[in-house]
Amino acid sequence: MRSGDPHDLFLLCASKQGNSLTLWRSYGAGSEAEYSIDFDPAVSLLPVQQRDDPHHPAPEPPGWGSDAIDYTDEGVEFRSYDPDEAYAYASDWSAVEYLRPSNTAAEKELDEVLKELRKPPEGKRVMPFLLDYLAGPEPTATFKHPGFADEREVRTSWTVQPWWRFVLYRASRFGVTPYIEVGRPRNDASARNNTRHNFIHPRDLDRLPIRAIRIGPTRKAVEAERSLRALLDANGYGDVTIKRSSTPYR
């Protein structure tokens, strides 16, 4: 069964340890030269809108926009929101919580939800909804099995709507894999105006906040550094530092 909304959460995963042999082995296996990229976590990355079409593709997915249909007290049907209007939610970089029996991260997350729901109403009486709390990215996106603790992982995540405006596809060992492009907005009036819904247009992209790139354990360190330097210089990243892993190849 197709829900019409198959892609609702996208993660960017990194590590606080930029020279981990565990990660070189896990993510660089099969490559002669491996690279880790040092991003500035203080710089926000926003989803890139790929399509500006006024309406969704035809034929529309089954159930498209059905949750936008509501009814007045008189039973008259109306559309409560535009399912084709683009918006995105973003989370800050957060350390992954490795859920050992002694870890209370899940309980703390639940307590936060309950605290919000128990707040006394201000002004006229209102009914709180759990949906108000869960409107952003999934709060459990930073929970992980303790067997991965040596990765020292950090994550940021995005939720985008509608998916057809943002999602791209690539071939991977898992088959057809959906993904989104994220980028850094230019710091000018035009770009700032276009980021009010927390996404960015391709025309407003600036350089990625890359501070350094480290080359992993390799027999070809000199050749790898030479070609990487040429690539960075040719694409406007001439100020990016290149480092070499201190871990020996063998």
Side-chain angles (χ1 to χ4, degrees), residues 196-218:
R196 63 187 182 277
H197 292 304
N198 218 26
F199 63 87
I200 188 172
H201 293 89
R203 61 182 176 271
D204 294 321
L205 285 170
D206 201 351
R207 293 192 333 156
L208 289 169
I210 299 174
R211 298 187 292 197
I213 296 180
R214 178 180 278 109
I215 301 171
T218 176

mmCIF file of all heavy atoms in Angstrom, residues 196-218:
data_model
loop_
_atom_site.group_PDB
_atom_site.id
_atom_site.type_symbol
_atom_site.label_atom_id
_atom_site.label_comp_id
_atom_site.label_asym_id
_atom_site.label_seq_id
_atom_site.Cartn_x
_atom_site.Cartn_y
_atom_site.Cartn_z
ATOM 1 N N ARG A 196 12.641 31.763 4.295
ATOM 2 C CA ARG A 196 11.686 31.979 5.389
ATOM 3 C C ARG A 196 10.911 30.710 5.734
ATOM 4 O O ARG A 196 10.394 30.583 6.831
ATOM 5 C CB ARG A 196 10.728 33.116 5.040
ATOM 6 C CG ARG A 196 9.844 32.874 3.829
ATOM 7 C CD ARG A 196 9.055 34.142 3.465
ATOM 8 N NE ARG A 196 8.166 33.929 2.355
ATOM 9 C CZ ARG A 196 8.525 33.974 1.077
ATOM 10 N NH1 ARG A 196 9.797 34.204 0.770
ATOM 11 N NH2 ARG A 196 7.652 33.779 0.120
ATOM 12 N N HIS A 197 10.791 29.777 4.790
ATOM 13 C CA HIS A 197 10.139 28.496 5.070
ATOM 14 C C HIS A 197 11.165 27.401 5.330
ATOM 15 O O HIS A 197 10.862 26.225 5.244
ATOM 16 C CB HIS A 197 9.216 28.106 3.923
ATOM 17 C CG HIS A 197 8.024 28.996 3.781
ATOM 18 N ND1 HIS A 197 7.141 29.225 4.813
ATOM 19 C CD2 HIS A 197 7.582 29.730 2.726
ATOM 20 C CE1 HIS A 197 6.193 30.048 4.394
ATOM 21 N NE2 HIS A 197 6.442 30.376 3.141
ATOM 22 N N ASN A 198 12.398 27.788 5.621
ATOM 23 C CA ASN A 198 13.441 26.859 6.047
ATOM 24 C C ASN A 198 13.919 25.945 4.928
ATOM 25 O O ASN A 198 14.336 24.812 5.171
ATOM 26 C CB ASN A 198 12.973 26.025 7.248
ATOM 27 C CG ASN A 198 14.085 25.801 8.240
ATOM 28 O OD1 ASN A 198 15.020 26.595 8.323
ATOM 29 N ND2 ASN A 198 13.998 24.731 8.999
ATOM 30 N N PHE A 199 13.858 26.427 3.696
ATOM 31 C CA PHE A 199 14.484 25.714 2.591
ATOM 32 C C PHE A 199 15.120 26.748 1.679
ATOM 33 O O PHE A 199 15.013 27.957 1.894
ATOM 34 C CB PHE A 199 13.485 24.835 1.832
ATOM 35 C CG PHE A 199 12.376 25.584 1.152
ATOM 36 C CD1 PHE A 199 12.537 26.083 -0.138
ATOM 37 C CD2 PHE A 199 11.162 25.794 1.791
ATOM 38 C CE1 PHE A 199 11.520 26.767 -0.776
ATOM 39 C CE2 PHE A 199 10.138 26.479 1.168
ATOM 40 C CZ PHE A 199 10.318 26.975 -0.127
ATOM 41 N N ILE A 200 15.819 26.277 0.643
ATOM 42 C CA ILE A 200 16.599 27.168 -0.203
ATOM 43 C C ILE A 200 16.433 26.777 -1.661
ATOM 44 O O ILE A 200 16.185 25.607 -1.971
ATOM 45 C CB ILE A 200 18.090 27.125 0.207
ATOM 46 C CG1 ILE A 200 18.906 28.186 -0.519
ATOM 47 C CG2 ILE A 200 18.677 25.749 -0.010
ATOM 48 C CD1 ILE A 200 20.335 28.295 0.000
ATOM 49 N N HIS A 201 16.540 27.762 -2.551
ATOM 50 C CA HIS A 201 16.505 27.497 -3.986
ATOM 51 C C HIS A 201 17.938 27.320 -4.501
ATOM 52 O O HIS A 201 18.875 27.909 -3.959
ATOM 53 C CB HIS A 201 15.834 28.651 -4.723
ATOM 54 C CG HIS A 201 14.376 28.783 -4.421
ATOM 55 N ND1 HIS A 201 13.899 29.539 -3.367
ATOM 56 C CD2 HIS A 201 13.285 28.230 -5.012
ATOM 57 C CE1 HIS A 201 12.588 29.468 -3.335
ATOM 58 N NE2 HIS A 201 12.185 28.686 -4.322
ATOM 59 N N PRO A 202 18.135 26.541 -5.549
ATOM 60 C CA PRO A 202 19.493 26.322 -6.088
ATOM 61 C C PRO A 202 20.211 27.622 -6.431
ATOM 62 O O PRO A 202 21.433 27.712 -6.282
ATOM 63 C CB PRO A 202 19.234 25.465 -7.330
ATOM 64 C CG PRO A 202 17.953 24.754 -7.044
ATOM 65 C CD PRO A 202 17.122 25.725 -6.250
ATOM 66 N N ARG A 203 19.481 28.636 -6.873
ATOM 67 C CA ARG A 203 20.124 29.902 -7.258
ATOM 68 C C ARG A 203 20.710 30.659 -6.070
ATOM 69 O O ARG A 203 21.485 31.603 -6.257
ATOM 70 C CB ARG A 203 19.118 30.803 -7.975
ATOM 71 C CG ARG A 203 17.911 31.185 -7.120
ATOM 72 C CD ARG A 203 16.930 32.043 -7.900
ATOM 73 N NE ARG A 203 15.725 32.337 -7.137
ATOM 74 C CZ ARG A 203 14.639 31.596 -7.112
ATOM 75 N NH1 ARG A 203 14.609 30.477 -7.831
ATOM 76 N NH2 ARG A 203 13.576 31.932 -6.395
ATOM 77 N N ASP A 204 20.328 30.271 -4.854
ATOM 78 C CA ASP A 204 20.773 30.992 -3.664
ATOM 79 C C ASP A 204 21.830 30.233 -2.864
ATOM 80 O O ASP A 204 22.099 30.564 -1.705
ATOM 81 C CB ASP A 204 19.579 31.304 -2.749
ATOM 82 C CG ASP A 204 18.613 32.288 -3.388
ATOM 83 O OD1 ASP A 204 19.098 33.221 -4.053
ATOM 84 O OD2 ASP A 204 17.396 32.116 -3.237
ATOM 85 N N LEU A 205 22.432 29.207 -3.458
ATOM 86 C CA LEU A 205 23.424 28.406 -2.749
ATOM 87 C C LEU A 205 24.767 29.119 -2.648
ATOM 88 O O LEU A 205 25.221 29.767 -3.585
ATOM 89 C CB LEU A 205 23.623 27.065 -3.458
ATOM 90 C CG LEU A 205 22.514 26.024 -3.295
ATOM 91 C CD1 LEU A 205 22.743 24.865 -4.246
ATOM 92 C CD2 LEU A 205 22.441 25.537 -1.860
ATOM 93 N N ASP A 206 25.402 28.969 -1.497
ATOM 94 C CA ASP A 206 26.765 29.445 -1.278
ATOM 95 C C ASP A 206 27.669 28.230 -1.092
ATOM 96 O O ASP A 206 27.214 27.083 -1.136
ATOM 97 C CB ASP A 206 26.795 30.352 -0.049
ATOM 98 C CG ASP A 206 28.000 31.278 -0.017
ATOM 99 O OD1 ASP A 206 28.907 31.099 -0.858
ATOM 100 O OD2 ASP A 206 28.054 32.169 0.853
ATOM 101 N N ARG A 207 28.952 28.473 -0.842
ATOM 102 C CA ARG A 207 29.880 27.363 -0.592
ATOM 103 C C ARG A 207 29.450 26.574 0.643
ATOM 104 O O ARG A 207 28.929 27.129 1.601
ATOM 105 C CB ARG A 207 31.284 27.897 -0.336
ATOM 106 C CG ARG A 207 31.955 28.555 -1.502
ATOM 107 C CD ARG A 207 33.438 28.779 -1.232
ATOM 108 N NE ARG A 207 33.777 28.918 0.179
ATOM 109 C CZ ARG A 207 34.971 28.674 0.695
ATOM 110 N NH1 ARG A 207 35.953 28.259 -0.063
ATOM 111 N NH2 ARG A 207 35.216 28.848 1.967
ATOM 112 N N LEU A 208 29.709 25.284 0.622
ATOM 113 C CA LEU A 208 29.498 24.460 1.805
ATOM 114 C C LEU A 208 30.494 24.878 2.894
ATOM 115 O O LEU A 208 31.618 25.276 2.596
ATOM 116 C CB LEU A 208 29.678 22.981 1.476
ATOM 117 C CG LEU A 208 28.574 22.352 0.618
ATOM 118 C CD1 LEU A 208 29.005 20.976 0.140
ATOM 119 C CD2 LEU A 208 27.268 22.274 1.398
ATOM 120 N N PRO A 209 30.101 24.765 4.160
ATOM 121 C CA PRO A 209 30.987 25.193 5.257
ATOM 122 C C PRO A 209 32.071 24.163 5.576
ATOM 123 O O PRO A 209 32.154 23.627 6.686
ATOM 124 C CB PRO A 209 30.021 25.375 6.427
ATOM 125 C CG PRO A 209 28.943 24.375 6.169
ATOM 126 C CD PRO A 209 28.773 24.357 4.668
ATOM 127 N N ILE A 210 32.931 23.888 4.589
ATOM 128 C CA ILE A 210 33.996 22.896 4.757
ATOM 129 C C ILE A 210 35.230 23.591 5.325
ATOM 130 O O ILE A 210 35.723 24.566 4.750
ATOM 131 C CB ILE A 210 34.345 22.230 3.419
ATOM 132 C CG1 ILE A 210 33.116 21.497 2.862
ATOM 133 C CG2 ILE A 210 35.502 21.250 3.594
ATOM 134 C CD1 ILE A 210 33.331 20.928 1.467
ATOM 135 N N ARG A 211 35.726 23.095 6.447
ATOM 136 C CA ARG A 211 36.911 23.686 7.067
ATOM 137 C C ARG A 211 38.180 22.930 6.692
ATOM 138 O O ARG A 211 39.245 23.512 6.535
ATOM 139 C CB ARG A 211 36.742 23.713 8.589
ATOM 140 C CG ARG A 211 35.572 24.562 9.049
ATOM 141 C CD ARG A 211 35.518 24.721 10.546
ATOM 142 N NE ARG A 211 35.216 23.477 11.227
ATOM 143 C CZ ARG A 211 34.798 23.403 12.495
ATOM 144 N NH1 ARG A 211 34.644 24.511 13.197
ATOM 145 N NH2 ARG A 211 34.539 22.242 13.052
ATOM 146 N N ALA A 212 38.071 21.613 6.574
ATOM 147 C CA ALA A 212 39.239 20.792 6.251
ATOM 148 C C ALA A 212 38.771 19.448 5.709
ATOM 149 O O ALA A 212 37.622 19.041 5.921
ATOM 150 C CB ALA A 212 40.113 20.586 7.486
ATOM 151 N N ILE A 213 39.665 18.766 4.995
ATOM 152 C CA ILE A 213 39.411 17.404 4.534
ATOM 153 C C ILE A 213 40.613 16.554 4.912
ATOM 154 O O ILE A 213 41.763 16.941 4.669
ATOM 155 C CB ILE A 213 39.173 17.352 3.016
ATOM 156 C CG1 ILE A 213 37.913 18.138 2.655
ATOM 157 C CG2 ILE A 213 39.053 15.911 2.535
ATOM 158 C CD1 ILE A 213 37.584 18.139 1.176
ATOM 159 N N ARG A 214 40.335 15.408 5.528
ATOM 160 C CA ARG A 214 41.419 14.502 5.916
ATOM 161 C C ARG A 214 41.429 13.292 4.988
ATOM 162 O O ARG A 214 40.374 12.687 4.741
ATOM 163 C CB ARG A 214 41.257 14.041 7.362
ATOM 164 C CG ARG A 214 42.334 13.061 7.800
ATOM 165 C CD ARG A 214 42.166 12.622 9.243
ATOM 166 N NE ARG A 214 42.721 13.608 10.159
ATOM 167 C CZ ARG A 214 41.985 14.389 10.951
ATOM 168 N NH1 ARG A 214 40.679 14.308 10.919
ATOM 169 N NH2 ARG A 214 42.559 15.246 11.775
ATOM 170 N N ILE A 215 42.597 12.955 4.478
ATOM 171 C CA ILE A 215 42.772 11.767 3.652
ATOM 172 C C ILE A 215 43.067 10.585 4.566
ATOM 173 O O ILE A 215 43.934 10.661 5.439
ATOM 174 C CB ILE A 215 43.918 11.964 2.648
ATOM 175 C CG1 ILE A 215 43.627 13.177 1.747
ATOM 176 C CG2 ILE A 215 44.123 10.722 1.789
ATOM 177 C CD1 ILE A 215 44.799 13.574 0.876
ATOM 178 N N GLY A 216 42.356 9.493 4.370
ATOM 179 C CA GLY A 216 42.506 8.333 5.225
ATOM 180 C C GLY A 216 43.745 7.520 4.925
ATOM 181 O O GLY A 216 44.537 7.859 4.033
ATOM 182 N N PRO A 217 43.948 6.437 5.660
ATOM 183 C CA PRO A 217 45.112 5.571 5.445
ATOM 184 C C PRO A 217 45.156 5.055 4.004
ATOM 185 O O PRO A 217 44.192 4.478 3.514
ATOM 186 C CB PRO A 217 44.880 4.419 6.433
ATOM 187 C CG PRO A 217 43.954 4.982 7.468
ATOM 188 C CD PRO A 217 43.079 5.940 6.741
ATOM 189 N N THR A 218 46.249 5.309 3.318
ATOM 190 C CA THR A 218 46.366 4.906 1.917
ATOM 191 C C THR A 218 47.835 4.794 1.512
ATOM 192 O O THR A 218 48.701 5.486 2.073
ATOM 193 C CB THR A 218 45.658 5.918 0.989
ATOM 194 O OG1 THR A 218 45.866 5.531 -0.374
ATOM 195 C CG2 THR A 218 46.184 7.332 1.191
#
